[in-house]
Amino acid sequence: MVIVDQCGSARLSSTSAAETKPPTTLLRNILYGTSFSIFVAFSYYYITDTRASVHQWLVVPLLRWLYPDAEDAHHVGTEALKTLYAFGLHPRERVSKTEEAKGVDLSVEVFGRRLSNPIGISAGLDKAADIPDALFALGPAIVEVGGVTPLPQDGNPRPRVFRLPSQQAIINRYGLNSLGAVNMAARLRERVRVFAYNYFGIERDAEDFVLNGGAGVPPGSLQDGKMLVVQVAKNKWTKDDDIQAVTKDFVTATKEVAVYSDIISVNVSSPNTPGLRTLQRVEPLTRILEGVVNAAKSVKRRDPPKVMVKVSPDEDSEEQIQGIVEAVWRSGVDGIIVGNTTKRRTNLVSADIPAKERQTLEEEGGYSGPQMFQRTLDLVKRYRNLLNQGPLPLEGASGEGAGEGEAEKNLASSAGAVSTPDEPSSNIVEKIATVKDAHDASSAGISEAPKPTRGTPEPKVIFATGGITNGKQALEVLNAGASVVQVYTGLIYGGSGTITRIKKEMRDEISRK
Ligand SMILES: Cc1cc2nc3c(=O)[nH]c(=O)nc-3n(C[C@H](O)[C@H](O)[C@H](O)COP(=O)(O)O)c2cc1C
Ligand SMILES: *[C@@H]1O[C@H](CO)[C@@H](O)[C@H](O)[C@H]1NC(C)=O
Ligand SMILES: CC(=O)N[C@H]1CO[C@H](CO)[C@@H](O)[C@@H]1O
């Protein structure tokens, strides 16, 4: 009360002396007011800019400290991002004119479409498609949401996510908790409706118009130069060896979400039955993938989504990789997402990690972290190598005799070959590097990627995921034959500015060459 009185009387006296008010007061008020708004505006620009180091040094450790359970921290982070996005206060990438003027264009062509850059966020970060737009705002050209199962399922009991801070790594055994495909489709549809309404008002067919590409943006991402991937998975209770049931799961989920996506990714383990000949071995996976390809194609849209299969880094025997590549050719899948978490623990981390983390390392689940990088790079090279050879001439539907022997021989010889993997589609990042290299050797022009050994219809696209945390690594993987590199764990430890940083490192690396 006293304060109010004091203020009241102070104000009273100043109004009574209005005429004689010294000009300095006014000036001071203006100055205070202005600097306050500048401060607010500056904070806004700073806090919402992904380049602000506060996102790495304050927010990430703070979350970790406040929420010892990694899954809690994830929920809080996701909710915060969602809320900030709703108020327009979310962190976003602002690339300065000077950086753009540097002239290093990171765009790549994928599936005949231009992507503004080759960085993606991989599956599992936004399992329910809650925040795709807030994630796009962080700078990637690809956001992969899901995995989503046909029916809702809980996943494994908690705790099921564990941090290894000294390694900047995570172990998770979520077991694909999912709200189900119908739920995700509803959310994705609402997003298209809002977009269509904002651009075309309440026209009756606005939604269909957008989905058919009428707005000039991909119908999944709804943004120029970007694509939305939706990952589908099967329900836990569907038996792995019941191929028909597994296919039905994937097809059911695909039918729900395909119309709202630019790419469908399939999380499927390749059946590994030792002793079977190639054709028999690849048959089950081919059938599952064929089902998804057909479901994606039959979607009511002018351009149906592409289909990619995500493969585990643990399926790395020559036989398994050949089988997957063969199933890709036979099923008509458009590409492979190479890499994931690993169940293996051998040669992963050095022996001198903190005792507590050594214990954590024993937790069952998939390990992700920078230690996976070399494995990812090697896998990308192997897949690119095999894919570049085109479909194998497996003789006859029964896969008998000399034909298959021939195929196996071809594969065997290619397996050991240390060839330079080349990206057949126009990977601009590589081309920039190539041009720069060629420039030194005073040779002109962009070197044409060698044609695949055998005639291939459409080159298969590779996305890479696993242990990628900086621009140099991103370039290495791209030059090994991937078109996009995806990040997850690096983003968890590096904060919301991670993708902006990786892109900057890529530009710096390229312009240094
Ligand atoms: C907590 C967590 C959940 C994940 N969930 C999925 C998932 O649902 N589907 C999937 O294909 N990959 C999932 N992944 C794997 C990531 O998409 C990514 O492929 C993997 O972590 C390797 O990349 P990174 O080293 O950049 O993390 C998950 C990873 C983590 C850490
Ligand atoms: C990828 O990793 C996630 C999480 O570790 C797991 O749920 C999923 O089954 C894996 N997918 C493949 C294809 O290995
Ligand atoms: C839900 C589902 O099908 N998940 C599978 C994804 O792929 C991995 C390995 O390739 C399997 O272990 C999961 O069961």
Side-chain angles (χ1 to χ4, degrees), residues 76-111:
V76 170
T78 307
E79 281 307 311
L81 206 52
K82 196 170 163 182
T83 309
L84 290 173
Y85 187 84
F87 290 103
L89 294 172
H90 56 290
R92 75 212 65 184
E93 185 174 71
R94 292 196 193 89
V95 177
S96 68
K97 286 269 184 291
T98 47
E99 264 167 277
E100 259 172 21
K102 265 193 190 168
V104 181
D105 177 13
L106 293 181
S107 68
V108 287
E109 203 184 303
V110 173
F111 299 130

PDB file of all heavy atoms in Angstrom, residues 76-111:
ATOM      1  N   VAL A  76       9.865 -33.595 -21.788  1.00  0.00           N
ATOM      2  CA  VAL A  76       9.872 -32.172 -21.443  1.00  0.00           C
ATOM      3  C   VAL A  76      10.410 -31.360 -22.624  1.00  0.00           C
ATOM      4  O   VAL A  76       9.834 -30.332 -22.990  1.00  0.00           O
ATOM      5  CB  VAL A  76      10.733 -31.934 -20.180  1.00  0.00           C
ATOM      6  CG1 VAL A  76      10.944 -30.450 -19.952  1.00  0.00           C
ATOM      7  CG2 VAL A  76      10.055 -32.562 -18.976  1.00  0.00           C
ATOM      8  N   GLY A  77      11.473 -31.844 -23.231  1.00  0.00           N
ATOM      9  CA  GLY A  77      12.047 -31.150 -24.378  1.00  0.00           C
ATOM     10  C   GLY A  77      11.051 -31.032 -25.519  1.00  0.00           C
ATOM     11  O   GLY A  77      10.870 -29.954 -26.101  1.00  0.00           O
ATOM     12  N   THR A  78      10.367 -32.125 -25.804  1.00  0.00           N
ATOM     13  CA  THR A  78       9.389 -32.136 -26.887  1.00  0.00           C
ATOM     14  C   THR A  78       8.228 -31.188 -26.588  1.00  0.00           C
ATOM     15  O   THR A  78       7.822 -30.399 -27.432  1.00  0.00           O
ATOM     16  CB  THR A  78       8.831 -33.562 -27.083  1.00  0.00           C
ATOM     17  OG1 THR A  78       9.938 -34.450 -27.245  1.00  0.00           O
ATOM     18  CG2 THR A  78       7.943 -33.652 -28.304  1.00  0.00           C
ATOM     19  N   GLU A  79       7.726 -31.259 -25.349  1.00  0.00           N
ATOM     20  CA  GLU A  79       6.604 -30.386 -24.963  1.00  0.00           C
ATOM     21  C   GLU A  79       7.008 -28.920 -25.029  1.00  0.00           C
ATOM     22  O   GLU A  79       6.240 -28.072 -25.494  1.00  0.00           O
ATOM     23  CB  GLU A  79       6.125 -30.734 -23.542  1.00  0.00           C
ATOM     24  CG  GLU A  79       5.229 -31.957 -23.473  1.00  0.00           C
ATOM     25  CD  GLU A  79       4.031 -31.893 -24.423  1.00  0.00           C
ATOM     26  OE1 GLU A  79       3.326 -30.864 -24.432  1.00  0.00           O
ATOM     27  OE2 GLU A  79       3.803 -32.873 -25.163  1.00  0.00           O
ATOM     28  N   ALA A  80       8.217 -28.641 -24.565  1.00  0.00           N
ATOM     29  CA  ALA A  80       8.700 -27.258 -24.576  1.00  0.00           C
ATOM     30  C   ALA A  80       8.759 -26.738 -26.009  1.00  0.00           C
ATOM     31  O   ALA A  80       8.293 -25.642 -26.315  1.00  0.00           O
ATOM     32  CB  ALA A  80      10.066 -27.172 -23.919  1.00  0.00           C
ATOM     33  N   LEU A  81       9.307 -27.567 -26.881  1.00  0.00           N
ATOM     34  CA  LEU A  81       9.441 -27.163 -28.284  1.00  0.00           C
ATOM     35  C   LEU A  81       8.062 -26.927 -28.902  1.00  0.00           C
ATOM     36  O   LEU A  81       7.848 -25.969 -29.647  1.00  0.00           O
ATOM     37  CB  LEU A  81      10.192 -28.261 -29.044  1.00  0.00           C
ATOM     38  CG  LEU A  81      10.972 -27.839 -30.287  1.00  0.00           C
ATOM     39  CD1 LEU A  81      11.891 -26.677 -29.991  1.00  0.00           C
ATOM     40  CD2 LEU A  81      11.791 -29.018 -30.814  1.00  0.00           C
ATOM     41  N   LYS A  82       7.121 -27.800 -28.538  1.00  0.00           N
ATOM     42  CA  LYS A  82       5.759 -27.694 -29.066  1.00  0.00           C
ATOM     43  C   LYS A  82       5.108 -26.392 -28.600  1.00  0.00           C
ATOM     44  O   LYS A  82       4.507 -25.662 -29.389  1.00  0.00           O
ATOM     45  CB  LYS A  82       4.964 -28.889 -28.542  1.00  0.00           C
ATOM     46  CG  LYS A  82       3.668 -29.166 -29.250  1.00  0.00           C
ATOM     47  CD  LYS A  82       3.171 -30.514 -28.752  1.00  0.00           C
ATOM     48  CE  LYS A  82       1.728 -30.749 -29.032  1.00  0.00           C
ATOM     49  NZ  LYS A  82       1.319 -32.059 -28.483  1.00  0.00           N
ATOM     50  N   THR A  83       5.265 -26.095 -27.310  1.00  0.00           N
ATOM     51  CA  THR A  83       4.672 -24.880 -26.755  1.00  0.00           C
ATOM     52  C   THR A  83       5.317 -23.639 -27.367  1.00  0.00           C
ATOM     53  O   THR A  83       4.630 -22.712 -27.790  1.00  0.00           O
ATOM     54  CB  THR A  83       4.851 -24.855 -25.226  1.00  0.00           C
ATOM     55  OG1 THR A  83       4.384 -26.103 -24.714  1.00  0.00           O
ATOM     56  CG2 THR A  83       4.086 -23.720 -24.601  1.00  0.00           C
ATOM     57  N   LEU A  84       6.653 -23.636 -27.404  1.00  0.00           N
ATOM     58  CA  LEU A  84       7.356 -22.488 -27.979  1.00  0.00           C
ATOM     59  C   LEU A  84       6.931 -22.282 -29.424  1.00  0.00           C
ATOM     60  O   LEU A  84       6.718 -21.155 -29.870  1.00  0.00           O
ATOM     61  CB  LEU A  84       8.877 -22.704 -27.907  1.00  0.00           C
ATOM     62  CG  LEU A  84       9.497 -22.641 -26.510  1.00  0.00           C
ATOM     63  CD1 LEU A  84      10.967 -23.031 -26.567  1.00  0.00           C
ATOM     64  CD2 LEU A  84       9.350 -21.231 -25.918  1.00  0.00           C
ATOM     65  N   TYR A  85       6.772 -23.383 -30.145  1.00  0.00           N
ATOM     66  CA  TYR A  85       6.375 -23.270 -31.555  1.00  0.00           C
ATOM     67  C   TYR A  85       4.996 -22.634 -31.670  1.00  0.00           C
ATOM     68  O   TYR A  85       4.763 -21.760 -32.515  1.00  0.00           O
ATOM     69  CB  TYR A  85       6.390 -24.648 -32.227  1.00  0.00           C
ATOM     70  CG  TYR A  85       6.158 -24.555 -33.717  1.00  0.00           C
ATOM     71  CD1 TYR A  85       7.214 -24.284 -34.584  1.00  0.00           C
ATOM     72  CD2 TYR A  85       4.880 -24.689 -34.262  1.00  0.00           C
ATOM     73  CE1 TYR A  85       7.009 -24.154 -35.941  1.00  0.00           C
ATOM     74  CE2 TYR A  85       4.670 -24.559 -35.627  1.00  0.00           C
ATOM     75  CZ  TYR A  85       5.740 -24.301 -36.459  1.00  0.00           C
ATOM     76  OH  TYR A  85       5.539 -24.162 -37.809  1.00  0.00           O
ATOM     77  N   ALA A  86       4.094 -23.040 -30.781  1.00  0.00           N
ATOM     78  CA  ALA A  86       2.730 -22.500 -30.817  1.00  0.00           C
ATOM     79  C   ALA A  86       2.733 -20.984 -30.622  1.00  0.00           C
ATOM     80  O   ALA A  86       1.886 -20.276 -31.157  1.00  0.00           O
ATOM     81  CB  ALA A  86       1.884 -23.178 -29.746  1.00  0.00           C
ATOM     82  N   PHE A  87       3.710 -20.475 -29.838  1.00  0.00           N
ATOM     83  CA  PHE A  87       3.781 -19.032 -29.602  1.00  0.00           C
ATOM     84  C   PHE A  87       4.788 -18.334 -30.520  1.00  0.00           C
ATOM     85  O   PHE A  87       5.087 -17.157 -30.334  1.00  0.00           O
ATOM     86  CB  PHE A  87       4.138 -18.759 -28.137  1.00  0.00           C
ATOM     87  CG  PHE A  87       3.027 -19.104 -27.192  1.00  0.00           C
ATOM     88  CD1 PHE A  87       3.068 -20.268 -26.434  1.00  0.00           C
ATOM     89  CD2 PHE A  87       1.915 -18.273 -27.081  1.00  0.00           C
ATOM     90  CE1 PHE A  87       2.040 -20.594 -25.573  1.00  0.00           C
ATOM     91  CE2 PHE A  87       0.873 -18.592 -26.224  1.00  0.00           C
ATOM     92  CZ  PHE A  87       0.932 -19.752 -25.462  1.00  0.00           C
ATOM     93  N   GLY A  88       5.340 -19.074 -31.444  1.00  0.00           N
ATOM     94  CA  GLY A  88       6.318 -18.472 -32.352  1.00  0.00           C
ATOM     95  C   GLY A  88       7.644 -18.165 -31.676  1.00  0.00           C
ATOM     96  O   GLY A  88       8.408 -17.330 -32.141  1.00  0.00           O
ATOM     97  N   LEU A  89       7.920 -18.826 -30.559  1.00  0.00           N
ATOM     98  CA  LEU A  89       9.144 -18.536 -29.807  1.00  0.00           C
ATOM     99  C   LEU A  89      10.168 -19.664 -29.906  1.00  0.00           C
ATOM    100  O   LEU A  89      11.115 -19.722 -29.139  1.00  0.00           O
ATOM    101  CB  LEU A  89       8.795 -18.299 -28.326  1.00  0.00           C
ATOM    102  CG  LEU A  89       7.951 -17.053 -28.032  1.00  0.00           C
ATOM    103  CD1 LEU A  89       7.504 -17.049 -26.579  1.00  0.00           C
ATOM    104  CD2 LEU A  89       8.749 -15.786 -28.349  1.00  0.00           C
ATOM    105  N   HIS A  90       9.948 -20.568 -30.841  1.00  0.00           N
ATOM    106  CA  HIS A  90      10.813 -21.735 -30.963  1.00  0.00           C
ATOM    107  C   HIS A  90      12.170 -21.349 -31.569  1.00  0.00           C
ATOM    108  O   HIS A  90      12.258 -20.373 -32.311  1.00  0.00           O
ATOM    109  CB  HIS A  90      10.141 -22.772 -31.870  1.00  0.00           C
ATOM    110  CG  HIS A  90       9.784 -22.208 -33.219  1.00  0.00           C
ATOM    111  ND1 HIS A  90       8.772 -21.288 -33.373  1.00  0.00           N
ATOM    112  CD2 HIS A  90      10.302 -22.401 -34.449  1.00  0.00           C
ATOM    113  CE1 HIS A  90       8.674 -20.951 -34.645  1.00  0.00           C
ATOM    114  NE2 HIS A  90       9.596 -21.617 -35.321  1.00  0.00           N
ATOM    115  N   PRO A  91      13.215 -22.116 -31.235  1.00  0.00           N
ATOM    116  CA  PRO A  91      14.505 -21.873 -31.874  1.00  0.00           C
ATOM    117  C   PRO A  91      14.402 -22.181 -33.366  1.00  0.00           C
ATOM    118  O   PRO A  91      13.726 -23.125 -33.759  1.00  0.00           O
ATOM    119  CB  PRO A  91      15.445 -22.857 -31.181  1.00  0.00           C
ATOM    120  CG  PRO A  91      14.574 -23.870 -30.539  1.00  0.00           C
ATOM    121  CD  PRO A  91      13.259 -23.204 -30.271  1.00  0.00           C
ATOM    122  N   ARG A  92      15.030 -21.345 -34.174  1.00  0.00           N
ATOM    123  CA  ARG A  92      14.979 -21.580 -35.621  1.00  0.00           C
ATOM    124  C   ARG A  92      16.286 -21.159 -36.243  1.00  0.00           C
ATOM    125  O   ARG A  92      17.027 -20.341 -35.678  1.00  0.00           O
ATOM    126  CB  ARG A  92      13.824 -20.799 -36.231  1.00  0.00           C
ATOM    127  CG  ARG A  92      14.117 -19.316 -36.334  1.00  0.00           C
ATOM    128  CD  ARG A  92      12.908 -18.472 -36.190  1.00  0.00           C
ATOM    129  NE  ARG A  92      12.330 -18.599 -34.860  1.00  0.00           N
ATOM    130  CZ  ARG A  92      11.192 -17.991 -34.506  1.00  0.00           C
ATOM    131  NH1 ARG A  92      10.512 -17.288 -35.353  1.00  0.00           N
ATOM    132  NH2 ARG A  92      10.732 -18.124 -33.273  1.00  0.00           N
ATOM    133  N   GLU A  93      16.522 -21.701 -37.410  1.00  0.00           N
ATOM    134  CA  GLU A  93      17.776 -21.384 -38.086  1.00  0.00           C
ATOM    135  C   GLU A  93      17.638 -20.068 -38.843  1.00  0.00           C
ATOM    136  O   GLU A  93      16.724 -19.901 -39.639  1.00  0.00           O
ATOM    137  CB  GLU A  93      18.111 -22.499 -39.062  1.00  0.00           C
ATOM    138  CG  GLU A  93      19.455 -22.305 -39.721  1.00  0.00           C
ATOM    139  CD  GLU A  93      19.804 -23.504 -40.574  1.00  0.00           C
ATOM    140  OE1 GLU A  93      19.181 -23.681 -41.620  1.00  0.00           O
ATOM    141  OE2 GLU A  93      20.697 -24.265 -40.164  1.00  0.00           O
ATOM    142  N   ARG A  94      18.538 -19.152 -38.566  1.00  0.00           N
ATOM    143  CA  ARG A  94      18.590 -17.923 -39.358  1.00  0.00           C
ATOM    144  C   ARG A  94      19.972 -17.860 -39.973  1.00  0.00           C
ATOM    145  O   ARG A  94      20.953 -17.670 -39.285  1.00  0.00           O
ATOM    146  CB  ARG A  94      18.384 -16.695 -38.478  1.00  0.00           C
ATOM    147  CG  ARG A  94      16.991 -16.574 -37.908  1.00  0.00           C
ATOM    148  CD  ARG A  94      16.767 -15.161 -37.399  1.00  0.00           C
ATOM    149  NE  ARG A  94      15.561 -15.106 -36.582  1.00  0.00           N
ATOM    150  CZ  ARG A  94      15.558 -15.321 -35.274  1.00  0.00           C
ATOM    151  NH1 ARG A  94      16.680 -15.578 -34.653  1.00  0.00           N
ATOM    152  NH2 ARG A  94      14.431 -15.273 -34.603  1.00  0.00           N
ATOM    153  N   VAL A  95      20.011 -18.052 -41.265  1.00  0.00           N
ATOM    154  CA  VAL A  95      21.312 -17.989 -41.917  1.00  0.00           C
ATOM    155  C   VAL A  95      21.517 -16.562 -42.418  1.00  0.00           C
ATOM    156  O   VAL A  95      20.671 -16.001 -43.105  1.00  0.00           O
ATOM    157  CB  VAL A  95      21.415 -19.005 -43.062  1.00  0.00           C
ATOM    158  CG1 VAL A  95      22.750 -18.877 -43.766  1.00  0.00           C
ATOM    159  CG2 VAL A  95      21.242 -20.404 -42.514  1.00  0.00           C
ATOM    160  N   SER A  96      22.650 -15.994 -42.031  1.00  0.00           N
ATOM    161  CA  SER A  96      22.901 -14.600 -42.387  1.00  0.00           C
ATOM    162  C   SER A  96      23.185 -14.463 -43.876  1.00  0.00           C
ATOM    163  O   SER A  96      23.591 -15.410 -44.538  1.00  0.00           O
ATOM    164  CB  SER A  96      24.086 -14.066 -41.594  1.00  0.00           C
ATOM    165  OG  SER A  96      25.255 -14.701 -42.025  1.00  0.00           O
ATOM    166  N   LYS A  97      22.964 -13.282 -44.366  1.00  0.00           N
ATOM    167  CA  LYS A  97      23.203 -13.008 -45.788  1.00  0.00           C
ATOM    168  C   LYS A  97      24.654 -13.308 -46.163  1.00  0.00           C
ATOM    169  O   LYS A  97      24.930 -13.837 -47.230  1.00  0.00           O
ATOM    170  CB  LYS A  97      22.907 -11.534 -46.081  1.00  0.00           C
ATOM    171  CG  LYS A  97      21.426 -11.197 -46.098  1.00  0.00           C
ATOM    172  CD  LYS A  97      20.856 -11.333 -47.513  1.00  0.00           C
ATOM    173  CE  LYS A  97      19.401 -10.902 -47.567  1.00  0.00           C
ATOM    174  NZ  LYS A  97      18.503 -11.847 -46.851  1.00  0.00           N
ATOM    175  N   THR A  98      25.577 -12.976 -45.240  1.00  0.00           N
ATOM    176  CA  THR A  98      26.987 -13.192 -45.557  1.00  0.00           C
ATOM    177  C   THR A  98      27.280 -14.673 -45.740  1.00  0.00           C
ATOM    178  O   THR A  98      28.027 -15.061 -46.620  1.00  0.00           O
ATOM    179  CB  THR A  98      27.898 -12.642 -44.445  1.00  0.00           C
ATOM    180  OG1 THR A  98      27.391 -13.073 -43.199  1.00  0.00           O
ATOM    181  CG2 THR A  98      27.989 -11.130 -44.493  1.00  0.00           C
ATOM    182  N   GLU A  99      26.649 -15.485 -44.896  1.00  0.00           N
ATOM    183  CA  GLU A  99      26.880 -16.918 -45.025  1.00  0.00           C
ATOM    184  C   GLU A  99      26.327 -17.437 -46.352  1.00  0.00           C
ATOM    185  O   GLU A  99      26.948 -18.255 -47.021  1.00  0.00           O
ATOM    186  CB  GLU A  99      26.231 -17.675 -43.867  1.00  0.00           C
ATOM    187  CG  GLU A  99      27.192 -17.967 -42.742  1.00  0.00           C
ATOM    188  CD  GLU A  99      26.460 -18.426 -41.506  1.00  0.00           C
ATOM    189  OE1 GLU A  99      25.965 -17.575 -40.740  1.00  0.00           O
ATOM    190  OE2 GLU A  99      26.359 -19.635 -41.334  1.00  0.00           O
ATOM    191  N   GLU A 100      25.134 -16.920 -46.699  1.00  0.00           N
ATOM    192  CA  GLU A 100      24.544 -17.336 -47.960  1.00  0.00           C
ATOM    193  C   GLU A 100      25.396 -16.873 -49.129  1.00  0.00           C
ATOM    194  O   GLU A 100      25.579 -17.570 -50.112  1.00  0.00           O
ATOM    195  CB  GLU A 100      23.128 -16.766 -48.088  1.00  0.00           C
ATOM    196  CG  GLU A 100      22.074 -17.785 -47.763  1.00  0.00           C
ATOM    197  CD  GLU A 100      20.691 -17.169 -47.696  1.00  0.00           C
ATOM    198  OE1 GLU A 100      20.501 -16.081 -48.267  1.00  0.00           O
ATOM    199  OE2 GLU A 100      19.826 -17.785 -47.071  1.00  0.00           O
ATOM    200  N   ALA A 101      25.941 -15.656 -48.962  1.00  0.00           N
ATOM    201  CA  ALA A 101      26.728 -15.077 -50.041  1.00  0.00           C
ATOM    202  C   ALA A 101      28.046 -15.811 -50.247  1.00  0.00           C
ATOM    203  O   ALA A 101      28.686 -15.671 -51.280  1.00  0.00           O
ATOM    204  CB  ALA A 101      26.973 -13.604 -49.760  1.00  0.00           C
ATOM    205  N   LYS A 102      28.462 -16.551 -49.227  1.00  0.00           N
ATOM    206  CA  LYS A 102      29.684 -17.344 -49.382  1.00  0.00           C
ATOM    207  C   LYS A 102      29.563 -18.296 -50.570  1.00  0.00           C
ATOM    208  O   LYS A 102      30.546 -18.778 -51.100  1.00  0.00           O
ATOM    209  CB  LYS A 102      29.944 -18.165 -48.112  1.00  0.00           C
ATOM    210  CG  LYS A 102      30.888 -17.507 -47.134  1.00  0.00           C
ATOM    211  CD  LYS A 102      31.283 -18.549 -46.114  1.00  0.00           C
ATOM    212  CE  LYS A 102      32.039 -17.966 -44.945  1.00  0.00           C
ATOM    213  NZ  LYS A 102      32.135 -18.964 -43.863  1.00  0.00           N
ATOM    214  N   GLY A 103      28.330 -18.605 -50.906  1.00  0.00           N
ATOM    215  CA  GLY A 103      28.093 -19.292 -52.160  1.00  0.00           C
ATOM    216  C   GLY A 103      28.185 -20.807 -52.107  1.00  0.00           C
ATOM    217  O   GLY A 103      28.056 -21.453 -53.131  1.00  0.00           O
ATOM    218  N   VAL A 104      28.415 -21.391 -50.935  1.00  0.00           N
ATOM    219  CA  VAL A 104      28.427 -22.843 -50.882  1.00  0.00           C
ATOM    220  C   VAL A 104      26.992 -23.342 -50.729  1.00  0.00           C
ATOM    221  O   VAL A 104      26.386 -23.193 -49.688  1.00  0.00           O
ATOM    222  CB  VAL A 104      29.314 -23.366 -49.735  1.00  0.00           C
ATOM    223  CG1 VAL A 104      29.326 -24.877 -49.738  1.00  0.00           C
ATOM    224  CG2 VAL A 104      30.716 -22.826 -49.872  1.00  0.00           C
ATOM    225  N   ASP A 105      26.507 -23.880 -51.808  1.00  0.00           N
ATOM    226  CA  ASP A 105      25.132 -24.355 -51.839  1.00  0.00           C
ATOM    227  C   ASP A 105      25.125 -25.817 -51.418  1.00  0.00           C
ATOM    228  O   ASP A 105      25.792 -26.654 -52.029  1.00  0.00           O
ATOM    229  CB  ASP A 105      24.609 -24.194 -53.275  1.00  0.00           C
ATOM    230  CG  ASP A 105      23.203 -24.722 -53.433  1.00  0.00           C
ATOM    231  OD1 ASP A 105      22.553 -24.982 -52.403  1.00  0.00           O
ATOM    232  OD2 ASP A 105      22.770 -24.880 -54.584  1.00  0.00           O
ATOM    233  N   LEU A 106      24.406 -26.128 -50.364  1.00  0.00           N
ATOM    234  CA  LEU A 106      24.419 -27.506 -49.857  1.00  0.00           C
ATOM    235  C   LEU A 106      23.288 -28.350 -50.425  1.00  0.00           C
ATOM    236  O   LEU A 106      23.076 -29.485 -50.010  1.00  0.00           O
ATOM    237  CB  LEU A 106      24.327 -27.494 -48.332  1.00  0.00           C
ATOM    238  CG  LEU A 106      25.520 -26.916 -47.559  1.00  0.00           C
ATOM    239  CD1 LEU A 106      25.267 -27.017 -46.068  1.00  0.00           C
ATOM    240  CD2 LEU A 106      26.806 -27.649 -47.913  1.00  0.00           C
ATOM    241  N   SER A 107      22.533 -27.800 -51.359  1.00  0.00           N
ATOM    242  CA  SER A 107      21.349 -28.533 -51.800  1.00  0.00           C
ATOM    243  C   SER A 107      21.721 -29.810 -52.563  1.00  0.00           C
ATOM    244  O   SER A 107      22.777 -29.892 -53.195  1.00  0.00           O
ATOM    245  CB  SER A 107      20.450 -27.632 -52.642  1.00  0.00           C
ATOM    246  OG  SER A 107      21.076 -27.323 -53.858  1.00  0.00           O
ATOM    247  N   VAL A 108      20.873 -30.793 -52.458  1.00  0.00           N
ATOM    248  CA  VAL A 108      21.079 -32.075 -53.134  1.00  0.00           C
ATOM    249  C   VAL A 108      19.786 -32.458 -53.848  1.00  0.00           C
ATOM    250  O   VAL A 108      18.709 -31.995 -53.478  1.00  0.00           O
ATOM    251  CB  VAL A 108      21.438 -33.218 -52.145  1.00  0.00           C
ATOM    252  CG1 VAL A 108      22.845 -33.061 -51.634  1.00  0.00           C
ATOM    253  CG2 VAL A 108      20.446 -33.284 -51.002  1.00  0.00           C
ATOM    254  N   GLU A 109      19.914 -33.316 -54.834  1.00  0.00           N
ATOM    255  CA  GLU A 109      18.712 -33.786 -55.496  1.00  0.00           C
ATOM    256  C   GLU A 109      18.400 -35.192 -55.038  1.00  0.00           C
ATOM    257  O   GLU A 109      19.254 -36.078 -55.074  1.00  0.00           O
ATOM    258  CB  GLU A 109      18.902 -33.756 -57.013  1.00  0.00           C
ATOM    259  CG  GLU A 109      17.563 -33.674 -57.736  1.00  0.00           C
ATOM    260  CD  GLU A 109      17.737 -33.753 -59.230  1.00  0.00           C
ATOM    261  OE1 GLU A 109      18.481 -32.914 -59.767  1.00  0.00           O
ATOM    262  OE2 GLU A 109      17.153 -34.662 -59.835  1.00  0.00           O
ATOM    263  N   VAL A 110      17.189 -35.384 -54.562  1.00  0.00           N
ATOM    264  CA  VAL A 110      16.771 -36.693 -54.071  1.00  0.00           C
ATOM    265  C   VAL A 110      15.406 -37.015 -54.675  1.00  0.00           C
ATOM    266  O   VAL A 110      14.488 -36.203 -54.580  1.00  0.00           O
ATOM    267  CB  VAL A 110      16.695 -36.699 -52.528  1.00  0.00           C
ATOM    268  CG1 VAL A 110      16.104 -38.001 -52.032  1.00  0.00           C
ATOM    269  CG2 VAL A 110      18.065 -36.499 -51.919  1.00  0.00           C
ATOM    270  N   PHE A 111      15.305 -38.162 -55.293  1.00  0.00           N
ATOM    271  CA  PHE A 111      14.057 -38.577 -55.946  1.00  0.00           C
ATOM    272  C   PHE A 111      13.544 -37.507 -56.908  1.00  0.00           C
ATOM    273  O   PHE A 111      12.351 -37.201 -56.946  1.00  0.00           O
ATOM    274  CB  PHE A 111      12.976 -38.893 -54.898  1.00  0.00           C
ATOM    275  CG  PHE A 111      13.353 -40.003 -53.967  1.00  0.00           C
ATOM    276  CD1 PHE A 111      13.232 -39.854 -52.588  1.00  0.00           C
ATOM    277  CD2 PHE A 111      13.846 -41.209 -54.454  1.00  0.00           C
ATOM    278  CE1 PHE A 111      13.574 -40.883 -51.723  1.00  0.00           C
ATOM    279  CE2 PHE A 111      14.190 -42.244 -53.594  1.00  0.00           C
ATOM    280  CZ  PHE A 111      14.057 -42.076 -52.231  1.00  0.00           C
TER     281      PHE A 111
END
